[in-house]
């Protein structure tokens, strides 16, 4: 730290404290305070509408949901944030939100496409196995440091099952190419 600038030392010490005391709520605040530019840091693309701490009919709160309706088709992203390691418990928590939203959308739209996005500092390796089962499950990691926050997609967003078994076939009304 430059010894001649006490203000710089104070700001940097505050940043050090925040790095050490980083909370899930801080992650959510950073995302929402920067919705217009968070994508440039690797965050997944959001839809037209985005809400935080969204209350589900069963009383649970999702960290973030982003959605829009185009031609009577619902497109959504459920984003579950964890300040540390993404675990299987976080995956199942997100799946619970996913099914709740899918049930709420059933019959209201011509179709619904919803992604489950899990974001944490790191992740259990078993989650990659879950993410290759569906292109609608994405795993991201984040880093928070002196230059701000950045996100990286750890899953490829491709369905192993679709790519290797259903390619070119119609299953449950969906054409896989």
């Amino acid at each position: 730290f430059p010894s001649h600038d006490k203000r710089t030392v104070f700001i940097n010490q505050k940043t050090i404290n925040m790095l050490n005391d980083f909370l899930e709520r801080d992650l959510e605040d950073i995302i929402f305070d920067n919705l217009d530019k968070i994508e440039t840091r690797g965050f997944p693309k959001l839809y037209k509408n985005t809400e935080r701490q969204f209350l589900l009919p069963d009383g649970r709160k999702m960290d973030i949901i982003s959605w829009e309706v185009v031609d009577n088709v619902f497109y959504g992203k459920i984003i579950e944030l964890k300040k540390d390691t993404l675990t299987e418990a976080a995956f199942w928590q997100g799946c619970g939100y996913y099914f709740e939203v899918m049930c709420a959308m059933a019959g209201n739209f011509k179709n619904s496409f919803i992604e489950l996005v899990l974001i944490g500092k790191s992740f259990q390796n078993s989650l990659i196995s879950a993410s290759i089962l569906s292109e609608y499950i994405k795993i991201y990691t984040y880093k928070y440091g002196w230059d701000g926050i950045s996100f990286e997609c750890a899953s490829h967003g491709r369905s192993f099952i679709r790519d290797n078994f259903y390619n070119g076939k119609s299953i449950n009304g969906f054409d896989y190419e």
Side-chain angles (χ1 to χ4, degrees):
F1 299 118
S3 59
H4 65 280
D5 188 347
K6 291 182 181 178
R7 184 171 178 259
T8 302
V9 172
F10 176 74
I11 291 170
N12 288 334
Q13 186 60 48
K14 182 178 178 184
T15 304
I16 289 169
N17 289 340
M18 184 164 180
L19 288 171
N20 291 334
D21 299 331
F22 194 77
L23 302 172
E24 190 173 306
R25 181 78 177 178
D26 296 323
L27 180 56
E28 193 176 309
D29 288 342
I30 290 167
I31 293 165
F32 258 80
D33 291 347
N34 297 284
L35 281 179
D36 58 333
K37 58 187 171 237
I38 196 73
E39 245 182 270
T40 65
R41 303 297 296 206
F43 195 79
K45 183 174 176 23
L46 297 172
Y47 290 111
K48 185 177 178 181
N49 307 290
T50 302
E51 297 280 334
R52 69 195 289 186
Q53 295 299 305
F54 187 85
L55 187 62
L56 292 167
D58 68 1
R60 294 179 296 165
K61 288 183 183 177
M62 290 187 290
D63 291 333
I64 299 174
I65 185 168
S66 183
W67 78 96
E68 65 183 87
V69 177
V70 178
D71 296 329
N72 201 30
V73 176
F74 180 88
Y75 296 91
K77 287 185 185 177
I78 297 167
I79 302 172
E80 178 60 24
L81 306 172
K82 295 298 178 196
K83 85 171 199 154
D84 289 316
T85 302
L86 288 168
T87 63
E88 290 178 14
F91 170 77
W92 289 112
Q93 180 182 2
C95 286
Y97 298 155
Y98 177 90
F99 292 120
E100 181 89 14
V101 172
M102 284 299 279
C103 288
M105 298 301 108
N108 293 313
F109 299 98
K110 182 170 55 177
N111 211 338
S112 297
F113 297 97
I114 301 172
E115 290 179 345
L116 173 58
V117 179
L118 304 170
I119 300 175
K121 190 179 282 186
S122 61
F123 57 89
Q124 289 179 333
N125 288 337
S126 59
L127 293 182
I128 289 297
S129 299
S131 73
I132 65 170
L133 295 176
S134 173
E135 63 197 281
Y136 298 108
I137 301 171
K138 306 267 177 33
I139 297 170
Y140 282 77
T141 56
Y142 76 89
K143 291 180 184 172
Y144 187 67
W146 298 109
D147 63 341
I149 196 160
S150 62
F151 300 87
E152 183 177 347
C153 186
S155 57
H156 300 292
R158 299 286 309 197
S159 169
F160 175 82
I161 292 173
R162 184 196 72 194
D163 291 348
N164 292 285
F165 298 104
Y166 298 137
N167 199 11
K169 299 177 185 174
S170 180
I171 308 292
N172 293 332
F174 291 100
D175 291 325
Y176 293 94
E177 298 174 356

